[in-house]
Amino acid sequence: KNLRKLDLEIIKNSVFARHGYSFKKDTFRYFFEQTDWYIPVSNNVDEDLSPLEKENVALLNRLTKYAEDKYDSFGR
């Protein structure tokens, strides 16, 4: 609940980055290029995700939407 939208998006996109997703959005591409483990190799890694990773991405999508919708009501 206390994470910012960008924090949640980075956590979510780390799942894709671990599978070598080549990000189109500069924010994520630059962020993950700073790590020594990120090697972009694919434009679509959906088939590579485990069922648990898919569940986690879905959860993070819901939390991100909540952060967007409720951001001001918590005074952050």
Side-chain angles (χ1 to χ4, degrees):
K1 286 186 201 178
N2 296 326
L3 293 174
R4 296 176 303 157
K5 179 186 171 210
L6 182 59
D7 296 329
L8 292 168
E9 288 177 339
I10 287 177
I11 293 168
K12 177 185 77 172
N13 282 297
S14 68
V15 173
F16 299 108
R18 292 264 178 206
H19 288 280
Y21 180 71
S22 181
F23 293 98
K24 295 173 186 81
K25 191 171 182 180
D26 290 343
T27 306
F28 301 122
R29 187 172 64 244
Y30 295 144
F31 180 85
F32 290 110
E33 282 177 350
Q34 303 305 309
T35 67
D36 58 355
W37 52 264
Y38 176 63
I39 302 169
V41 294
S42 178
N43 290 327
N44 187 344
V45 296
D46 292 341
E47 296 294 320
D48 299 330
L49 301 181
S50 72
L52 180 59
E53 288 172 322
K54 290 177 184 178
E55 287 179 36
N56 287 339
V57 167
L59 173 62
L60 288 160
N61 281 335
R62 287 192 305 273
L63 291 173
T64 300
K65 182 180 182 323
Y66 183 80
E68 290 173 344
D69 294 341
K70 306 298 182 188
Y71 190 83
D72 291 334
S73 67
F74 290 111
R76 292 187 273 162

Coordinates of all heavy atoms in Angstrom, one line a residue:
K1 N 0.8 -1.2 0.0 CA 0.0 0.0 0.0 C 0.8 1.3 0.0 O 0.4 2.3 -0.5 CB -0.9 0.1 1.2 CG -2.0 -0.9 1.2 CD -2.9 -0.6 2.5 CE -3.7 -1.8 2.8 NZ -4.5 -1.5 4.0
N2 N 2.0 1.2 0.6 CA 2.8 2.4 0.8 C 3.8 2.6 -0.3 O 4.6 3.5 -0.2 CB 3.5 2.4 2.1 CG 2.5 2.4 3.3 OD1 1.5 3.0 3.2 ND2 2.8 1.7 4.3
L3 N 3.8 1.8 -1.4 CA 4.7 2.0 -2.5 C 4.2 3.0 -3.5 O 3.0 3.0 -3.7 CB 5.1 0.7 -3.1 CG 5.8 -0.3 -2.3 CD1 6.0 -1.6 -3.0 CD2 7.2 0.2 -1.9
R4 N 5.0 3.7 -4.1 CA 4.6 4.6 -5.2 C 4.4 3.9 -6.4 O 4.9 2.7 -6.6 CB 5.7 5.7 -5.4 CG 6.0 6.6 -4.2 CD 7.1 7.5 -4.5 NE 8.3 6.7 -4.8 CZ 9.3 7.2 -5.5 NH1 9.4 8.4 -6.0 NH2 10.4 6.4 -5.7
K5 N 3.7 4.5 -7.4 CA 3.4 3.8 -8.6 C 4.6 3.4 -9.3 O 4.7 2.3 -9.8 CB 2.6 4.8 -9.5 CG 2.2 4.2 -10.9 CD 1.6 5.3 -11.8 CE 1.5 4.7 -13.2 NZ 1.6 5.7 -14.2
L6 N 5.6 4.2 -9.4 CA 6.9 3.9 -10.1 C 7.6 2.7 -9.4 O 8.1 1.8 -10.1 CB 7.8 5.1 -10.1 CG 9.2 4.8 -10.9 CD1 8.9 4.4 -12.3 CD2 10.0 6.1 -10.8
D7 N 7.6 2.6 -8.1 CA 8.1 1.5 -7.4 C 7.5 0.2 -7.8 O 8.1 -0.8 -8.0 CB 8.0 1.7 -5.8 CG 8.8 2.9 -5.3 OD1 9.8 3.2 -5.9 OD2 8.3 3.4 -4.3
L8 N 6.1 0.2 -7.8 CA 5.4 -1.0 -8.2 C 5.6 -1.4 -9.6 O 5.8 -2.6 -9.9 CB 3.9 -0.7 -8.0 CG 3.4 -0.6 -6.5 CD1 2.0 0.0 -6.5 CD2 3.5 -1.9 -5.8
E9 N 5.8 -0.4 -10.5 CA 6.1 -0.7 -11.9 C 7.4 -1.3 -12.1 O 7.6 -2.2 -12.9 CB 5.9 0.6 -12.8 CG 4.5 1.0 -12.9 CD 4.3 2.3 -13.7 OE1 5.3 3.1 -13.8 OE2 3.3 2.5 -14.2
I10 N 8.4 -0.8 -11.3 CA 9.8 -1.4 -11.4 C 9.8 -2.8 -10.9 O 10.4 -3.7 -11.5 CB 10.8 -0.5 -10.7 CG1 11.0 0.7 -11.5 CG2 12.1 -1.3 -10.4 CD1 11.9 1.8 -10.9
I11 N 9.1 -3.1 -9.8 CA 9.0 -4.4 -9.2 C 8.3 -5.4 -10.3 O 8.8 -6.5 -10.5 CB 8.2 -4.5 -7.9 CG1 9.0 -3.7 -6.8 CG2 7.9 -5.9 -7.5 CD1 8.2 -3.4 -5.6
K12 N 7.2 -4.9 -10.8 CA 6.5 -5.7 -11.9 C 7.4 -6.0 -13.1 O 7.6 -7.1 -13.5 CB 5.3 -5.0 -12.3 CG 4.5 -5.8 -13.4 CD 3.3 -5.0 -13.9 CE 3.8 -3.9 -14.9 NZ 2.7 -3.3 -15.6
N13 N 8.1 -4.9 -13.5 CA 8.9 -5.1 -14.7 C 10.2 -5.8 -14.5 O 10.8 -6.3 -15.4 CB 9.2 -3.7 -15.4 CG 8.0 -3.3 -16.1 OD1 7.6 -3.9 -17.1 ND2 7.3 -2.2 -15.7
S14 N 10.6 -6.0 -13.2 CA 11.8 -6.8 -13.0 C 11.5 -8.3 -13.3 O 12.4 -9.0 -13.7 CB 12.2 -6.7 -11.5 OG 11.2 -7.3 -10.6
V15 N 10.2 -8.7 -13.2 CA 9.9 -10.1 -13.6 C 10.2 -10.2 -15.1 O 10.8 -11.2 -15.5 CB 8.4 -10.3 -13.4 CG1 7.9 -11.7 -14.0 CG2 8.1 -10.3 -11.9
F16 N 9.8 -9.3 -15.9 CA 10.0 -9.3 -17.4 C 11.5 -9.2 -17.7 O 12.0 -9.8 -18.6 CB 9.2 -8.3 -18.1 CG 7.7 -8.4 -17.9 CD1 7.0 -7.5 -17.1 CD2 7.0 -9.4 -18.5 CE1 5.6 -7.7 -16.9 CE2 5.7 -9.6 -18.4 CZ 5.0 -8.7 -17.6
A17 N 12.2 -8.3 -17.0 CA 13.6 -8.1 -17.2 C 14.4 -9.3 -17.0 O 15.4 -9.6 -17.7 CB 14.1 -6.9 -16.3
R18 N 14.1 -10.1 -15.9 CA 14.8 -11.3 -15.6 C 14.7 -12.3 -16.8 O 15.5 -13.2 -16.9 CB 14.2 -12.0 -14.4 CG 14.5 -11.2 -13.1 CD 15.8 -11.7 -12.5 NE 16.1 -10.9 -11.3 CZ 17.3 -10.7 -10.8 NH1 18.3 -11.4 -11.4 NH2 17.5 -10.0 -9.8
H19 N 13.6 -12.2 -17.6 CA 13.5 -13.1 -18.7 C 14.0 -12.5 -20.0 O 13.9 -13.1 -21.1 CB 12.0 -13.5 -18.9 CG 11.5 -14.4 -17.9 ND1 11.7 -15.8 -17.9 CD2 10.8 -14.2 -16.7 CE1 11.2 -16.3 -16.9 NE2 10.6 -15.4 -16.1
G20 N 14.7 -11.3 -19.9 CA 15.3 -10.7 -21.1 C 14.4 -9.9 -21.9 O 14.7 -9.6 -23.1
Y21 N 13.3 -9.3 -21.3 CA 12.4 -8.5 -22.1 C 13.2 -7.2 -22.5 O 13.8 -6.6 -21.7 CB 11.2 -8.1 -21.3 CG 10.2 -7.3 -22.1 CD1 9.5 -7.7 -23.2 CD2 10.1 -5.9 -21.8 CE1 8.6 -6.9 -23.9 CE2 9.2 -5.1 -22.5 CZ 8.5 -5.6 -23.5 OH 7.6 -4.8 -24.3
S22 N 13.0 -6.8 -23.8 CA 13.6 -5.6 -24.3 C 12.6 -4.5 -24.2 O 11.7 -4.4 -25.0 CB 14.0 -5.8 -25.8 OG 14.6 -4.7 -26.3
F23 N 12.8 -3.6 -23.2 CA 11.8 -2.6 -22.9 C 11.8 -1.5 -24.0 O 12.9 -1.0 -24.5 CB 12.1 -1.9 -21.6 CG 11.9 -2.9 -20.4 CD1 13.0 -3.6 -19.9 CD2 10.6 -3.1 -19.9 CE1 12.8 -4.4 -18.8 CE2 10.4 -4.0 -18.9 CZ 11.5 -4.7 -18.3
K24 N 10.6 -1.1 -24.3 CA 10.4 0.1 -25.3 C 10.5 1.4 -24.5 O 10.9 2.4 -25.0 CB 9.1 -0.1 -26.0 CG 9.1 -1.3 -26.9 CD 7.7 -1.5 -27.5 CE 7.6 -2.8 -28.3 NZ 7.4 -4.0 -27.5
K25 N 10.0 1.4 -23.3 CA 9.9 2.6 -22.5 C 11.3 2.9 -21.9 O 11.9 2.0 -21.2 CB 8.9 2.4 -21.4 CG 8.5 3.7 -20.6 CD 7.4 3.5 -19.7 CE 7.0 4.8 -19.0 NZ 5.9 4.6 -18.1
D26 N 11.8 4.1 -22.2 CA 13.1 4.5 -21.8 C 13.4 4.3 -20.3 O 14.4 3.9 -19.8 CB 13.4 5.9 -22.2 CG 13.6 6.1 -23.7 OD1 13.8 5.1 -24.4 OD2 13.5 7.2 -24.1
T27 N 12.3 4.7 -19.5 CA 12.5 4.6 -18.0 C 13.0 3.3 -17.6 O 13.9 3.2 -16.8 CB 11.1 5.0 -17.3 OG1 10.7 6.2 -17.8 CG2 11.3 5.0 -15.8
F28 N 12.3 2.2 -18.0 CA 12.6 0.9 -17.6 C 13.9 0.4 -18.3 O 14.7 -0.3 -17.6 CB 11.5 -0.1 -17.9 CG 10.2 0.3 -17.1 CD1 9.0 0.6 -17.8 CD2 10.2 0.5 -15.8 CE1 7.9 1.0 -17.2 CE2 9.1 0.9 -15.1 CZ 7.9 1.2 -15.8
R29 N 14.1 0.7 -19.5 CA 15.3 0.2 -20.2 C 16.5 0.8 -19.5 O 17.5 0.1 -19.2 CB 15.3 0.6 -21.7 CG 16.4 0.1 -22.4 CD 16.4 0.3 -23.9 NE 16.4 1.7 -24.3 CZ 15.4 2.4 -24.9 NH1 14.3 1.8 -25.2 NH2 15.6 3.6 -25.1
Y30 N 16.5 2.1 -19.2 CA 17.7 2.7 -18.5 C 17.9 2.1 -17.1 O 19.0 1.9 -16.7 CB 17.5 4.2 -18.5 CG 17.6 4.9 -19.9 CD1 16.8 6.0 -20.1 CD2 18.4 4.4 -20.9 CE1 16.8 6.6 -21.4 CE2 18.4 5.0 -22.1 CZ 17.6 6.1 -22.4 OH 17.7 6.7 -23.6
F31 N 16.8 1.9 -16.4 CA 16.9 1.4 -15.1 C 17.5 0.0 -15.1 O 18.5 -0.2 -14.3 CB 15.5 1.3 -14.4 CG 15.5 0.8 -13.0 CD1 15.7 1.6 -11.9 CD2 15.3 -0.6 -12.8 CE1 15.8 1.1 -10.7 CE2 15.4 -1.1 -11.5 CZ 15.6 -0.2 -10.4
F32 N 17.0 -0.9 -15.9 CA 17.6 -2.2 -15.9 C 18.9 -2.4 -16.5 O 19.7 -3.3 -16.2 CB 16.5 -3.2 -16.5 CG 15.3 -3.4 -15.6 CD1 14.1 -2.9 -16.0 CD2 15.4 -4.0 -14.4 CE1 13.0 -3.0 -15.1 CE2 14.4 -4.2 -13.5 CZ 13.1 -3.7 -13.9
E33 N 19.3 -1.5 -17.4 CA 20.6 -1.5 -18.0 C 21.7 -1.2 -17.0 O 22.9 -1.6 -17.2 CB 20.7 -0.5 -19.2 CG 20.0 -1.0 -20.5 CD 20.1 0.0 -21.6 OE1 20.4 1.2 -21.4 OE2 19.7 -0.4 -22.7
Q34 N 21.3 -0.6 -15.9 CA 22.3 -0.4 -14.8 C 22.7 -1.6 -14.0 O 23.6 -1.6 -13.2 CB 21.8 0.7 -13.9 CG 21.4 2.0 -14.6 CD 22.5 2.6 -15.4 OE1 23.7 2.7 -14.9 NE2 22.3 2.9 -16.6
T35 N 21.9 -2.7 -14.2 CA 22.2 -3.9 -13.5 C 23.2 -4.8 -14.3 O 23.2 -4.7 -15.6 CB 20.9 -4.7 -13.2 OG1 20.4 -5.2 -14.4 CG2 19.9 -3.9 -12.5
D36 N 23.9 -5.7 -13.7 CA 24.8 -6.5 -14.4 C 24.1 -7.8 -14.9 O 24.7 -8.5 -15.7 CB 26.0 -6.9 -13.5 CG 25.6 -7.6 -12.2 OD1 24.4 -7.7 -11.9 OD2 26.6 -8.0 -11.5
W37 N 22.9 -8.1 -14.5 CA 22.2 -9.3 -14.9 C 21.3 -9.1 -16.1 O 20.8 -10.1 -16.7 CB 21.5 -9.9 -13.7 CG 20.6 -9.0 -13.0 CD1 20.8 -8.3 -11.9 CD2 19.2 -8.6 -13.4 NE1 19.8 -7.5 -11.5 CE2 18.8 -7.7 -12.4 CE3 18.4 -9.0 -14.4 CZ2 17.5 -7.1 -12.5 CZ3 17.1 -8.4 -14.5 CH2 16.7 -7.5 -13.5
Y38 N 20.9 -7.9 -16.4 CA 19.9 -7.6 -17.5 C 20.5 -7.7 -18.9 O 21.4 -7.0 -19.2 CB 19.3 -6.2 -17.3 CG 18.3 -5.9 -18.4 CD1 17.1 -6.6 -18.6 CD2 18.5 -4.8 -19.2 CE1 16.2 -6.3 -19.6 CE2 17.6 -4.5 -20.2 CZ 16.5 -5.2 -20.4 OH 15.6 -4.9 -21.3
I39 N 20.0 -8.7 -19.7 CA 20.4 -8.8 -21.0 C 19.1 -8.9 -21.9 O 18.4 -9.9 -21.9 CB 21.2 -10.1 -21.2 CG1 22.4 -10.1 -20.3 CG2 21.6 -10.3 -22.7 CD1 23.1 -11.5 -20.2
P40 N 18.8 -7.8 -22.6 CA 17.6 -7.8 -23.4 C 17.7 -8.7 -24.6 O 18.7 -8.5 -25.4 CB 17.4 -6.3 -23.8 CG 18.8 -5.7 -23.7 CD 19.5 -6.5 -22.6
V41 N 16.8 -9.6 -24.8 CA 16.9 -10.6 -25.9 C 15.6 -10.8 -26.6 O 15.5 -11.4 -27.7 CB 17.4 -12.0 -25.4 CG1 18.8 -11.9 -24.9 CG2 16.5 -12.5 -24.3
S42 N 14.4 -10.3 -26.1 CA 13.1 -10.6 -26.7 C 12.2 -9.4 -26.5 O 12.2 -8.7 -25.5 CB 12.6 -11.8 -26.0 OG 11.3 -12.1 -26.6
N43 N 11.2 -9.3 -27.5 CA 10.2 -8.3 -27.4 C 8.9 -8.9 -26.7 O 8.0 -8.2 -26.5 CB 9.8 -7.8 -28.8 CG 10.9 -6.9 -29.4 OD1 11.6 -6.2 -28.6 ND2 11.1 -7.0 -30.7
N44 N 8.9 -10.2 -26.5 CA 7.8 -10.8 -25.9 C 8.2 -12.0 -25.0 O 8.7 -13.0 -25.6 CB 6.8 -11.3 -26.9 CG 5.5 -11.8 -26.3 OD1 5.4 -12.1 -25.1 ND2 4.4 -11.9 -27.1
V45 N 8.1 -11.9 -23.7 CA 8.5 -13.0 -22.9 C 7.4 -13.7 -22.1 O 7.5 -14.4 -21.2 CB 9.6 -12.5 -21.8 CG1 10.9 -12.1 -22.5 CG2 9.0 -11.5 -20.9
D46 N 6.1 -13.4 -22.6 CA 4.9 -13.9 -21.9 C 4.9 -15.4 -21.7 O 4.5 -15.9 -20.7 CB 3.7 -13.4 -22.6 CG 3.5 -11.9 -22.5 OD1 4.1 -11.3 -21.6 OD2 2.7 -11.3 -23.3
E47 N 5.4 -16.1 -22.8 CA 5.4 -17.5 -22.8 C 6.4 -18.1 -21.8 O 6.3 -19.2 -21.4 CB 5.7 -18.1 -24.2 CG 4.6 -17.7 -25.2 CD 3.3 -18.4 -24.9 OE1 3.3 -19.6 -24.5 OE2 2.2 -17.8 -25.0
D48 N 7.4 -17.3 -21.4 CA 8.5 -17.7 -20.5 C 8.1 -17.6 -19.0 O 8.8 -18.1 -18.2 CB 9.7 -16.9 -20.8 CG 10.3 -17.1 -22.2 OD1 10.0 -18.2 -22.8 OD2 10.9 -16.2 -22.7
L49 N 7.0 -16.8 -18.8 CA 6.7 -16.6 -17.4 C 6.0 -17.8 -16.7 O 5.2 -18.5 -17.4 CB 5.7 -15.4 -17.3 CG 6.1 -14.1 -17.8 CD1 5.0 -13.0 -17.6 CD2 7.4 -13.6 -17.1
S50 N 6.4 -18.1 -15.5 CA 5.8 -19.2 -14.8 C 4.4 -18.8 -14.3 O 4.1 -17.6 -14.3 CB 6.7 -19.6 -13.5 OG 6.6 -18.5 -12.5
P51 N 3.6 -19.7 -13.9 CA 2.2 -19.4 -13.4 C 2.3 -18.4 -12.2 O 1.5 -17.5 -12.1 CB 1.6 -20.7 -13.0 CG 2.3 -21.7 -13.9 CD 3.7 -21.2 -14.0
L52 N 3.3 -18.6 -11.3 CA 3.5 -17.7 -10.2 C 3.8 -16.3 -10.6 O 3.3 -15.3 -10.1 CB 4.5 -18.3 -9.2 CG 4.8 -17.5 -7.9 CD1 3.5 -17.3 -7.1 CD2 5.8 -18.1 -7.1
E53 N 4.7 -16.2 -11.6 CA 5.1 -14.9 -12.1 C 3.9 -14.2 -12.7 O 3.7 -13.0 -12.5 CB 6.3 -15.0 -13.1 CG 7.6 -15.4 -12.5 CD 8.7 -15.7 -13.5 OE1 8.4 -16.4 -14.5 OE2 9.8 -15.4 -13.2
K54 N 3.1 -14.9 -13.4 CA 1.9 -14.3 -14.0 C 0.9 -13.8 -12.9 O 0.4 -12.8 -13.1 CB 1.2 -15.3 -14.9 CG 2.0 -15.6 -16.2 CD 1.3 -16.7 -17.0 CE 2.2 -17.0 -18.3 NZ 1.6 -18.0 -19.1
E55 N 0.8 -14.6 -11.8 CA 0.0 -14.2 -10.7 C 0.5 -12.9 -10.1 O -0.2 -12.0 -9.7 CB -0.1 -15.3 -9.7 CG -1.0 -16.4 -10.1 CD -1.0 -17.5 -9.0 OE1 -1.0 -17.1 -7.8 OE2 -1.1 -18.7 -9.4
N56 N 1.8 -12.9 -9.9 CA 2.5 -11.7 -9.3 C 2.3 -10.5 -10.2 O 2.1 -9.4 -9.6 CB 4.0 -12.0 -9.0 CG 4.2 -12.9 -7.9 OD1 3.3 -13.1 -7.0 ND2 5.3 -13.6 -7.8
V57 N 2.5 -10.6 -11.5 CA 2.3 -9.5 -12.4 C 0.8 -9.0 -12.3 O 0.6 -7.8 -12.2 CB 2.7 -9.9 -13.8 CG1 2.2 -8.8 -14.8 CG2 4.2 -10.1 -13.9
A58 N -0.1 -9.9 -12.2 CA -1.5 -9.5 -12.1 C -1.8 -8.7 -10.8 O -2.5 -7.7 -10.8 CB -2.4 -10.7 -12.2
L59 N -1.2 -9.2 -9.7 CA -1.3 -8.6 -8.4 C -0.7 -7.2 -8.5 O -1.3 -6.2 -8.0 CB -0.7 -9.4 -7.3 CG -0.6 -8.8 -6.0 CD1 -2.0 -8.5 -5.4 CD2 0.2 -9.6 -5.0
L60 N 0.5 -7.1 -9.0 CA 1.1 -5.8 -9.1 C 0.4 -4.8 -10.0 O 0.4 -3.6 -9.7 CB 2.6 -6.0 -9.6 CG 3.5 -6.6 -8.5 CD1 4.7 -7.2 -9.1 CD2 3.8 -5.6 -7.4
N61 N -0.3 -5.3 -11.1 CA -1.1 -4.5 -11.9 C -2.3 -3.9 -11.1 O -2.6 -2.7 -11.2 CB -1.6 -5.2 -13.1 CG -0.6 -5.4 -14.2 OD1 0.3 -4.6 -14.3 ND2 -0.8 -6.4 -15.0
R62 N -2.9 -4.7 -10.3 CA -4.0 -4.3 -9.4 C -3.5 -3.2 -8.4 O -4.1 -2.2 -8.2 CB -4.7 -5.4 -8.7 CG -5.5 -6.3 -9.6 CD -6.4 -7.2 -8.9 NE -5.7 -8.1 -7.9 CZ -5.2 -9.3 -8.2 NH1 -5.2 -9.7 -9.4 NH2 -4.6 -10.0 -7.3
L63 N -2.4 -3.5 -7.8 CA -1.8 -2.6 -6.8 C -1.4 -1.2 -7.5 O -1.6 -0.2 -6.9 CB -0.6 -3.2 -6.1 CG -0.9 -4.3 -5.2 CD1 0.4 -4.9 -4.7 CD2 -1.8 -3.9 -4.0
T64 N -0.9 -1.3 -8.7 CA -0.5 -0.1 -9.4 C -1.7 0.8 -9.7 O -1.7 2.0 -9.6 CB 0.2 -0.4 -10.7 OG1 1.4 -1.2 -10.4 CG2 0.6 0.8 -11.5
K65 N -2.8 0.1 -10.1 CA -4.1 0.8 -10.4 C -4.6 1.5 -9.1 O -5.0 2.6 -9.1 CB -5.1 -0.1 -11.0 CG -6.4 0.6 -11.3 CD -7.4 -0.4 -11.9 CE -8.7 0.3 -12.3 NZ -9.2 1.3 -11.5
Y66 N -4.5 0.7 -8.0 CA -4.9 1.3 -6.7 C -4.1 2.5 -6.3 O -4.6 3.5 -5.9 CB -4.8 0.2 -5.7 CG -5.3 0.6 -4.3 CD1 -6.7 0.6 -4.0 CD2 -4.4 1.0 -3.3 CE1 -7.2 1.0 -2.8 CE2 -4.9 1.4 -2.1 CZ -6.3 1.4 -1.8 OH -6.7 1.8 -0.6
A67 N -2.8 2.4 -6.6 CA -1.9 3.5 -6.2 C -2.2 4.7 -7.1 O -2.2 5.8 -6.6 CB -0.4 3.1 -6.5
E68 N -2.6 4.5 -8.3 CA -3.0 5.6 -9.2 C -4.3 6.3 -8.7 O -4.4 7.5 -8.6 CB -3.2 5.2 -10.6 CG -1.9 4.8 -11.3 CD -2.2 4.1 -12.7 OE1 -3.3 3.7 -13.0 OE2 -1.2 4.0 -13.4
D69 N -5.3 5.4 -8.4 CA -6.6 5.9 -8.0 C -6.7 6.5 -6.6 O -7.4 7.4 -6.4 CB -7.6 4.7 -8.1 CG -7.8 4.2 -9.5 OD1 -7.5 4.9 -10.5 OD2 -8.3 3.1 -9.6
K70 N -5.9 6.0 -5.7 CA -6.0 6.4 -4.3 C -4.9 7.2 -3.8 O -4.8 7.5 -2.6 CB -6.1 5.1 -3.4 CG -7.2 4.2 -3.8 CD -8.6 4.9 -3.7 CE -9.7 3.9 -4.1 NZ -11.0 4.5 -4.2
Y71 N -4.0 7.6 -4.7 CA -2.8 8.3 -4.3 C -3.0 9.5 -3.4 O -2.5 9.6 -2.3 CB -2.0 8.7 -5.5 CG -0.6 9.2 -5.2 CD1 0.5 8.4 -5.1 CD2 -0.3 10.6 -5.1 CE1 1.7 8.8 -4.8 CE2 0.9 11.1 -4.9 CZ 2.0 10.2 -4.7 OH 3.2 10.7 -4.4
D72 N -3.9 10.4 -3.8 CA -4.1 11.6 -3.1 C -4.9 11.4 -1.8 O -4.8 12.2 -0.9 CB -4.9 12.7 -4.0 CG -4.0 13.2 -5.1 OD1 -2.8 13.2 -4.9 OD2 -4.5 13.6 -6.1
S73 N -5.8 10.4 -1.8 CA -6.6 10.2 -0.6 C -5.8 9.8 0.6 O -6.3 10.0 1.8 CB -7.7 9.2 -0.9 OG -7.1 7.9 -1.0
F74 N -4.6 9.3 0.5 CA -3.7 9.0 1.6 C -2.8 10.1 1.9 O -2.0 10.0 2.8 CB -2.9 7.7 1.3 CG -3.8 6.5 1.2 CD1 -4.0 5.8 0.0 CD2 -4.4 6.0 2.3 CE1 -4.7 4.7 -0.1 CE2 -5.1 4.8 2.3 CZ -5.3 4.2 1.1
G75 N -2.9 11.2 1.2 CA -2.0 12.4 1.5 C -0.6 12.2 1.2 O 0.3 12.9 1.7
R76 N -0.3 11.3 0.2 CA 1.1 11.1 -0.2 C 1.4 12.1 -1.3 O 0.6 12.6 -2.0 CB 1.3 9.7 -0.7 CG 1.2 8.7 0.4 CD 1.6 7.3 0.0 NE 0.4 6.7 -0.5 CZ 0.4 5.6 -1.3 NH1 1.5 5.1 -1.7 NH2 -0.7 5.1 -1.8

